[in-house]
């Protein structure tokens, strides 16, 4: 009888007994090997309950609710419509495009095609090896203190009249390795003028182009297309380079004074005429005022 009662009680209580929930280890096993999305959700929830419950409320808010400052900035940046890219060197301030240092402006190999706006205190401009094709009067209109300009290795074909007229302090002007066919009017205080490696012909140099340049000491016109030595060269010259032109004749007045046999041109240290189709030995009276004979062919 007791055995029967026990059996009946067992059948009555079995439906009331619930199976124990799977352990955390079981959840991980299901996540690792199971393919059911529901099982993955269970694991994720267990993970959050275990690890996030131990954190402070402040940390939860930081991680879940409040985006950090960088996120806001990123969203702000992404919401701004991007502007079309500017053309290289377009409207860039000169002293960012070039280097400005104590009155000197260095704009070398920066691919400019015109003279950039210069600081008013500029005294020296080096704009070598660019794509400048023309010099104008307005390029230097408000820069009265310039003392040296160097445009070596550009594409200059034309220089407006009056470009250098206001540069009363300019001492050195270099226009070497360009495409010039003629010379501009030069400022009066030049001590050095360099226009070698151009395409200048004699008709491109006015008769009095150098006459009033009483301070000019160095003149470089080599590797051009000159047919004759420029006229009225100033007494101040020390070095004259005319090599590799097309000079075919020299007169007694080219360097000396035909009517004054006592005249000595003692400042000249070097004249170069090699590479021209002229035999210097045929013009002995052309050099009697010189302390040194020109470099060139004599026979």
């Amino acid at each position: 009888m007791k055995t029967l009662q026990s059996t009946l009680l067992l059948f009555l209580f079995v439906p009331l007994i619930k199976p124990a929930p799977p352990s955390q280890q079981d959840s991980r096993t299901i996540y690792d090997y199971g393919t059911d999305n529901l099982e993955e959700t269970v694991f994720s929830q267990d993970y959050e309950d275990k690890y996030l419950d131990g954190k402070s409320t402040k940390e939860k808010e930081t991680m879940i609710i409040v985006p950090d400052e960088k996120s806001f900035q990123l969203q702000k940046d992404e919401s701004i419509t991007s502007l079309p890219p500017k053309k290289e060197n377009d409207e860039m301030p000169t002293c960012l495009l070039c280097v400005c240092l104590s009155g000197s402006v260095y704009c070398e190999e920066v691919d400019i095609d015109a003279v950039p706006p210069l600081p008013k205190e500029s005294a020296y401009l080096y704009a070598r090896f660019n794509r400048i094709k023309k010099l104008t009067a307005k390029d230097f209109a408000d820069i009265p203190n310039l003392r040296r300009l160097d445009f070596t290795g550009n594409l200059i074909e034309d220089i407006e009249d009056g470009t250098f007229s206001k540069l009363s302090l300019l001492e050195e002007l270099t226009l070497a390795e360009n495409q010039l066919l003629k010379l501009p009017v030069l400022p009066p205080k030049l001590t050095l003028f360099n226009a070698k490696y151009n395409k200048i012909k004699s008709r491109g140099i006015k008769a009095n182009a150098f006459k009033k340049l009483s301070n000019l000491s160095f003149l470089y016109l080599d590797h051009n297309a000159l047919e004759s030595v420029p006229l009225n060269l100033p007494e101040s010259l020390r070095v004259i380079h005319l090599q590799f032109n097309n000079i075919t004749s020299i007169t007694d007045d080219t360097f000396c004074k035909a009517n004054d046999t006592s005249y000595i041109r003692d400042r000249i240290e070097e004249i170069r005429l090699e590479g021209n189709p002229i035999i210097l030995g045929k013009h002995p009276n052309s050099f009697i005022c010189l302390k040194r004979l020109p470099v060139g062919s004599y026979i």
Side-chain angles (χ1 to χ4, degrees):
M1 188 66 179
K2 289 182 179 180
T3 304
L4 180 59
Q5 290 177 348
S6 300
T7 304
L8 291 174
L9 289 173
L10 180 61
F11 279 105
L12 289 173
F13 285 103
V14 165
L16 300 178
I17 300 174
K18 294 182 180 180
S23 64
Q24 188 66 37
Q25 184 175 1
D26 294 336
S27 298
R28 285 196 297 270
T29 304
I30 292 170
Y31 176 75
D32 290 340
Y33 301 103
T35 57
D36 192 312
N37 290 335
L38 178 60
E39 292 173 345
E40 292 181 9
T41 303
V42 171
F43 168 76
S44 300
Q45 185 63 46
D46 289 343
Y47 179 86
E48 292 177 5
D49 291 342
K50 178 177 180 180
Y51 288 98
L52 295 185
D53 284 348
K55 293 183 178 291
S56 66
T57 304
K58 183 177 181 181
E59 288 175 327
K60 286 185 179 181
E61 291 174 351
T62 303
M63 294 178 63
I64 300 171
I65 300 173
V66 183
D68 59 20
E69 204 170 305
K70 290 182 179 179
S71 299
F72 276 123
Q73 185 62 41
L74 181 60
Q75 291 174 3
K76 183 178 179 182
D77 292 343
E78 288 176 348
S79 65
I80 298 174
T81 304
S82 57
L83 297 175
K86 282 190 175 183
K87 187 178 179 181
E88 187 177 2
N89 299 341
D90 185 26
E91 298 180 358
M92 184 178 291
T94 300
C95 290
L96 292 179
L97 174 64
C98 308
V99 176
C100 301
L101 182 64
S102 300
S104 297
V105 181
Y106 299 88
C107 291
E108 299 176 303
E109 297 183 89
V110 292
D111 206 32
I112 53 177
D113 56 13
V115 178
L118 300 174
K120 288 188 176 182
E121 67 275 11
S122 300
Y124 306 97
L125 171 62
Y126 303 91
R128 295 180 284 207
F129 306 110
N130 288 292
R131 297 185 295 107
I132 299 172
K133 293 184 178 181
K134 185 176 183 178
L135 299 180
T136 67
K138 68 178 182 180
D139 291 336
F140 313 108
D142 299 319
I143 320 293
N145 297 320
L146 283 168
R147 295 178 180 274
R148 180 183 299 154
L149 292 173
D150 191 343
F151 291 100
T152 298
N154 279 274
L155 303 171
I156 300 172
E157 299 175 346
D158 184 33
I159 300 177
E160 279 186 5
D161 292 336
T163 295
F164 308 115
S165 61
K166 295 185 178 181
L167 304 182
S168 59
L169 300 179
L170 191 66
E171 297 176 348
E172 298 183 14
L173 176 59
T174 299
L175 300 168
E177 300 177 41
N178 280 281
Q179 306 293 323
L180 290 172
L181 298 174
K182 62 180 182 179
L183 294 186
V185 176
L186 301 173
K189 290 191 176 181
L190 279 186
T191 61
L192 179 149
F193 180 64
N194 185 348
K196 64 183 180 181
Y197 287 97
N198 276 276
K199 300 177 180 180
I200 303 167
K201 295 187 176 183
S202 292
R203 65 173 178 268
I205 302 178
K206 294 180 180 179
N208 295 324
F210 301 106
K211 186 176 183 178
K212 295 182 179 180
L213 305 184
S214 57
N215 295 322
L216 189 64
S217 296
F218 303 92
L219 178 61
Y220 303 101
L221 290 171
D222 53 281
H223 295 86
N224 276 282
L226 300 176
E227 297 90 1
S228 61
V229 177
L231 300 174
N232 300 311
L233 295 176
E235 296 284 333
S236 57
L237 279 170
R238 294 169 52 193
V239 174
I240 305 172
H241 283 190
L242 298 168
Q243 69 271 27
F244 297 99
N245 277 280
N246 195 34
I247 297 172
T248 57
S249 65
I250 292 177
T251 70
D252 293 349
D253 288 314
T254 299
F255 300 110
C256 302
K257 295 180 179 179
N259 298 327
D260 187 358
T261 56
S262 63
Y263 170 72
I264 302 296
R265 194 161 191 165
D266 55 358
R267 291 189 181 182
I268 289 186
E269 299 171 3
E270 181 180 68
I271 298 176
R272 293 185 59 177
L273 288 166
E274 76 271 21
N276 285 284
I278 184 174
I279 305 300
L280 300 180
K282 295 182 178 181
H283 307 274
N285 294 331
S286 299
F287 315 119
I288 58 174
C289 67
L290 303 176
K291 291 184 176 181
R292 297 178 181 85
L293 290 173
V295 177
S297 176
Y298 284 85
I299 55 174

